[in-house]
């Protein structure tokens, strides 16, 4: 049961008014640095088997805040980089909202290829492929962090929830938020979405019996891929 933690980078001076994309030298603002440090404090008690980041500075700085004092190197994977928005890069969102393509981005994102840039389908494909490869590389007991960008995180979550990419605009990933997905042999489980506070200790699952094994009474145990029926999450 590999557990993926997706963290969006903290705030920058462009977050909100401008589509930063791959604009170089976009660093965390003072507020963003505080967010990254708060995320690091939240995750401090949770052992991480790897920390992976988009190559862009705002993600690298967020990931480095989490990595500080852990003795874990931040690894870079370009596939977690921001969507390449092409000609839209660096333009104010208020201006882009007047472009006819904006309505397509909102209602039918799977059909969108940004002028001079990348399609959102391509973004989802590369990001999900990267997740699958890291899951395989780190193994079924791993808990690891990927620091990425809003649209990338939303695309990975949509895949994990079995949603068509056209539904990904229903998902939110705020700056410095935490999303957790557990991958089992049968299906992923979205454990947390756009989480901005709270204890994270339960994100590393306890060691348990092997999948499909018998319990001490001779009954069949639930597998790690089985969903709870009737709510679940009880302690007795």
């Amino acid at each position: 049961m590999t557990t993926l933690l997706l963290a969006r980078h903290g705030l920058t001076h462009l977050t909100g008014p401008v589509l930063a994309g791959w604009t170089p030298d976009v660093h965390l603002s003072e507020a963003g640095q505080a967010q990254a440090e708060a995320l690091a404090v939240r995750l401090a008690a949770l052992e991480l088997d790897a920390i992976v980041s988009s190559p862009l500075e705002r993600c690298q700085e967020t990931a480095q805040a989490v990595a500080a004092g852990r003795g874990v190197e931040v690894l870079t994977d370009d596939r977690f980089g921001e969507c390449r928005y092409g000609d839209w890069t660096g333009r104010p969102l208020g201006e882009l909202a007047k472009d006819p393509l904006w309505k397509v981005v909102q209602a039918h994102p799977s059909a969108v290829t940004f002028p001079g840039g990348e399609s959102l389908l391509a973004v989802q494909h590369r990001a999900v492929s990267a997740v699958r490869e890291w899951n395989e590389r780190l193994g079924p007991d791993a808990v690891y962090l990927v620091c990425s960008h809003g649209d990338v995180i939303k695309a990975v979550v949509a895949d994990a929830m079995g949603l068509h990419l056209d539904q990904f605009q229903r998902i939110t990933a705020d700056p410095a938020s935490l999303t957790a997905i557990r991958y089992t042999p049968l299906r992923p489980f979205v454990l947390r979405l756009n989480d901005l506070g709270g204890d994270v200790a339960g994100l590393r699952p306890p060691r348990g019996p092997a999948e499909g094994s018998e319990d001490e009474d001779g009954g069949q145990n639930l597998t790690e891929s089985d969903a709870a029926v009737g709510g679940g999450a009880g302690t007795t």
Side-chain angles (χ1 to χ4, degrees):
M1 296 191 294
T2 312
T3 303
L4 165 66
L5 309 182
L6 290 163
R8 187 181 171 193
H9 62 80
L11 286 165
T12 75
H13 69 286
L14 296 182
T15 305
V18 174
L19 190 63
W22 283 72
T23 303
D25 296 321
V26 177
H27 298 273
L28 294 180
S29 64
E30 185 175 340
Q33 292 170 358
Q35 288 178 323
E37 290 167 5
L39 177 64
V41 170
R42 285 189 63 205
L43 295 175
L46 188 64
E47 180 185 353
L48 297 175
D49 296 284
I51 298 175
V52 187
S53 176
S54 154
L56 296 175
E57 292 92 347
R58 54 195 185 272
C59 284
Q60 291 280 324
E61 291 164 0
T62 304
Q64 289 291 350
V66 175
R70 287 180 177 267
V72 177
E73 177 186 3
V74 174
L75 305 172
T76 300
D77 191 327
D78 287 359
R79 295 173 295 179
F80 293 122
E82 179 64 285
C83 176
R84 295 186 181 274
Y85 295 111
D87 298 344
W88 279 31
T89 302
R91 294 173 61 188
L93 290 179
E95 175 185 307
L96 293 172
K98 301 173 184 177
D99 190 306
L101 185 61
W102 181 267
K103 291 184 178 180
V104 186
V105 172
Q106 297 302 314
H108 194 26
S110 68
V112 171
T113 298
F114 292 96
E118 187 177 23
S119 73
L120 285 168
L121 273 174
V123 172
Q124 184 180 51
H125 176 73
R126 63 170 161 85
V128 171
S129 295
V131 168
R132 298 292 181 179
E133 289 182 24
W134 280 101
N135 289 355
E136 182 68 22
R137 175 177 173 179
L138 295 171
D141 295 324
V143 176
Y144 71 107
L145 177 75
V146 168
C147 188
S148 189
H149 307 265
D151 281 348
V152 180
I153 292 171
K154 288 160 59 177
V156 172
V157 171
D159 172 79
M161 296 183 73
L163 297 177
H164 193 283
L165 186 61
D166 285 347
Q167 305 303 318
F168 101 137
Q169 297 292 26
R170 300 180 180 215
I171 300 165
T172 298
D174 288 323
S177 64
L178 188 68
T179 292
I181 305 171
R182 182 161 295 149
Y183 289 85
T184 77
L186 180 61
R187 61 167 68 90
F189 291 93
V190 178
L191 307 177
R192 298 197 184 191
L193 181 64
N194 197 38
D195 183 13
L196 293 169
D199 180 57
V200 297
L203 292 179
R204 178 170 289 277
R207 302 282 183 177
E211 181 171 349
S213 63
E214 292 187 352
D215 62 25
E216 61 184 9
D217 296 321
Q220 193 72 10
N221 283 307
L222 295 175
T223 75
E224 62 189 20
S225 299
D226 290 328
V229 177
T235 57
T236 59

